[in-house]
Amino acid sequence: MDAQKAAKSADLSSRPVLYDFAISSSAWRVRAAFAVKGVEYEEKKFHSYFATGSEKAEFEKLSPLEQVPVLVIGHDQYLTQSVAMLEYIEETFPGPALLPKDLVKVREIVELINSGIQPLTNLMVARRHSSEPQLQKDWQMYWVEKGL
C-alpha cells in the first residue's frame, strides 16, 4: 500500500504503532520523524533473536523478513519500509516539514543508502558474511565508506 492511500484510509483516532528495535537505523529515522512532527505513537520492541516462537509467528504476518521497523497505521494497514513511513508521516501529520521542496537530491541520497549501503551493512547480512564480530564490522564499514 502506498503512503498516500494509507494516509487517507488510516484510522487516525488511534495512535500509530511502531515496531522497532534500538539499533535499527531505519527505526531511528521513523522515531526522529515522529519527534520532529510531535506525534505520539505506541512503541513495541521486536527482535527475532529475543522473540519467542509465537511472537515471531505473529510478527512474521506483518514482516515476512522479520525486519523492523513496521508501522501500523490502522486496522490491517501497515507499512514495512522506513521511507514509505517518512512519506506517510509527512503527508498525514502537521508540523515542520521533514523534506525540502526539491526532492530530486533527497531521493538520490535515500536510494543510495537504502539500496546501495544499508542492505550490505544489515546485521543479518554481516552475520552471513562472517561469524567474527570484527570481520562483520570491517565488512559494514567498507560499504558505508565506499557508498558515502
Side-chain angles (χ1 to χ4, degrees), residues 34-142:
F34 278 140
V36 167
K37 293 284 192 175
V39 176
E40 292 186 20
Y41 63 97
E42 181 181 345
E43 190 173 21
K44 293 187 177 185
K45 300 293 183 194
F46 179 83
H47 192 288
S48 61
Y49 183 78
F50 301 109
T52 66
S54 62
E55 288 170 335
K56 281 184 186 182
E58 192 62 31
F59 188 76
E60 209 171 63
K61 293 175 188 174
L62 297 175
S63 177
L65 293 175
E66 296 180 15
Q67 295 175 339
V68 294
V70 172
L71 182 63
V72 179
I73 55 177
H75 182 68
D76 288 332
Q77 297 176 311
Y78 53 91
L79 301 168
T80 62
Q81 298 301 310
S82 64
V83 175
M85 293 173 201
L86 296 177
E87 290 184 16
Y88 168 80
I89 293 166
E90 178 76 341
E91 295 171 4
T92 305
F93 300 101
L98 299 174
L99 301 168
K101 296 234 184 264
D102 180 10
L103 296 176
V104 174
K105 193 64 176 175
V106 171
R107 287 188 175 125
E108 179 183 37
I109 294 168
V110 164
E111 189 64 23
L112 170 68
I113 293 169
N114 281 349
S115 298
I117 298 173
Q118 187 168 353
L120 296 167
T121 63
N122 184 292
L123 187 56
M124 185 169 52
V125 174
R127 285 183 177 156
R128 178 78 174 149
H129 170 68
S130 175
S131 60
E132 298 290 326
Q134 186 57 51
L135 292 176
Q136 292 171 8
K137 183 178 177 182
D138 293 346
W139 165 269
Q140 292 167 321
M141 290 307 299
Y142 171 81

Side-chain angles (χ1 to χ4, degrees), residues 13 18 60 88 145:
S13 64
L18 178 64
E60 209 171 63
Y88 168 80
E145 290 170 359

